[in-house]
């Protein structure tokens, strides 16, 4: 700070102000934020790289997106406490990846009850048109994908279904409707292990090479 006397002489001094919140009125910003993290993998735990992870909220800066890294991991940090959020994941790449005539055979055997699927992920993969049923129409549509007639699945079905790893299936042979999001009401603490399982549509034998 500069000081000038009545005779025009001047000098300066440096003042240091130290602000203290002794009564703890000021909110600690670090105490007001939370993070959400997890991984995206296949059912066999192989990491699913490049999956788009979406965090949504009613706050104006949302939705926010990022991609899973080389280990399938992701993390959203710096989010405000005590707001509602939901977390989802999506991936839509080559429809014919991991798909072969063996998948056709396996789906047909399931439809004919010769050898039914023993886990919900197979059923989800076999629902080619996304109508929550497995029937001969799915066989027809998958055959068109294999032959190159279809470059995408019908009815807007993406090439992958990405669902929370903690999803419960009361009926293993009819796992629909699917829960595809984590929902957080008044989120007040960090959330880890918010993992997702990726299911490649059409690849019922999980033969895809990543």
């Amino acid at each position: 700070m500069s000081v000038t006397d009545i005779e025009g002489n001047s000098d300066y001094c440096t003042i240091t102000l130290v602000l203290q919140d002794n009564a703890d009125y000021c909110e600690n910003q670090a105490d007001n934020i939370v993070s959400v993290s997890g991984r995206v993998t296949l059912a066999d735990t192989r990491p699913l790289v490049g999956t788009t992870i979406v965090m949504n909220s009613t706050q104006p800066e949302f939705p926010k997106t990022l991609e899973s890294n080389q280990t399938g991991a992701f993390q959203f940090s710096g989010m405000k406490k005590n707001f509602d959020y939901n977390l989802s994941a999506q991936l839509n790449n080559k429809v014919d990846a991991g798909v072969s005539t063996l998948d056709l055979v396996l789906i047909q055997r399931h439809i004919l009850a010769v050898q039914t699927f023993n886990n919900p992920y197979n059923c989800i993969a076999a629902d080619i048109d996304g109508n929550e049923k497995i029937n001969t129409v799915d066989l027809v549509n998958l055959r068109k994908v294999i032959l190159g007639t279809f470059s995408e699945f019908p009815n807007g079905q993406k090439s992958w279904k990405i669902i929370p790893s903690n999803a419960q299936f009361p009926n293993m042979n009819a796992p629909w409707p699917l829960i595809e999001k984590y929902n957080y009401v008044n989120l007040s603490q960090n959330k880890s292990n918010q993992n997702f399982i990726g299911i490649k549509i059409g690849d019922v034998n999980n033969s895809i090479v990543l």
Side-chain angles (χ1 to χ4, degrees):
M1 181 176 68
S2 177
V3 179
T4 303
D5 62 21
I6 58 175
E7 296 181 355
N9 299 314
S10 64
D11 202 349
Y12 70 92
C13 62
T14 300
I15 298 175
T16 300
L17 297 177
V18 179
L19 301 178
Q20 293 183 323
D21 183 25
N22 295 325
D24 200 23
Y25 287 121
C26 297
E27 186 175 52
N28 188 334
Q29 185 64 23
D31 291 339
N32 195 40
I33 60 174
V34 290
S35 67
V36 175
S37 61
R39 292 184 70 218
V40 188
T41 68
L42 273 65
D44 60 13
T45 73
R46 284 182 289 166
L48 195 51
V49 181
T51 303
T52 299
I53 318 297
V54 182
M55 181 67 77
N56 213 339
S57 175
T58 56
Q59 300 169 75
E61 64 269 29
F62 287 83
K64 294 182 178 181
T65 64
L66 50 78
E67 291 190 351
S68 57
N69 66 18
Q70 293 298 311
T71 64
F74 64 88
Q75 179 172 345
F76 289 92
S77 57
M79 301 190 306
K80 296 177 184 177
K81 274 186 179 180
N82 303 319
F83 281 89
D84 296 346
Y85 298 90
N86 66 65
L87 180 70
S88 61
Q90 57 191 32
L91 182 62
N92 193 32
N93 51 20
K94 293 180 62 178
V95 295
D96 59 350
V99 174
S100 69
T101 53
L102 178 57
D103 295 302
L104 283 174
V105 172
L106 295 174
I107 295 173
Q108 185 175 44
R109 291 172 67 86
H110 173 82
I111 293 171
L112 297 174
V114 174
Q115 183 179 5
T116 56
F117 298 134
N118 59 8
N119 73 68
Y121 303 132
N122 292 143
C123 296
I124 295 168
D127 179 22
I128 307 303
D129 57 9
N131 69 347
E132 301 185 353
K133 299 176 183 178
I134 303 173
N135 52 37
T136 55
V137 177
D138 293 304
L139 288 174
V140 172
N141 288 323
L142 185 58
R143 186 175 291 110
K144 289 180 179 180
V145 168
I146 293 172
L147 294 175
T149 306
F150 279 0
S151 60
E152 58 185 27
F153 293 122
N155 302 329
Q157 169 93 301
K158 291 183 172 61
S159 59
W160 291 83
K161 281 288 187 185
I162 316 289
I163 63 175
S165 62
N166 64 358
Q168 300 295 311
F169 305 102
N171 186 341
M172 293 293 182
N173 288 320
W176 304 282
L178 298 177
I179 296 173
E180 300 184 55
K181 297 179 180 181
Y182 287 96
N183 290 300
Y184 311 108
V185 177
N186 196 30
L187 184 63
S188 60
Q189 59 185 3
N190 296 335
K191 293 285 186 178
S192 59
N193 298 318
Q194 305 300 283
N195 303 323
F196 288 93
I197 298 292
I199 304 151
K200 174 62 180 64
I201 300 301
D203 182 21
V204 295
N205 67 343
N206 201 34
S207 65
I208 191 169
V209 177
L210 298 177

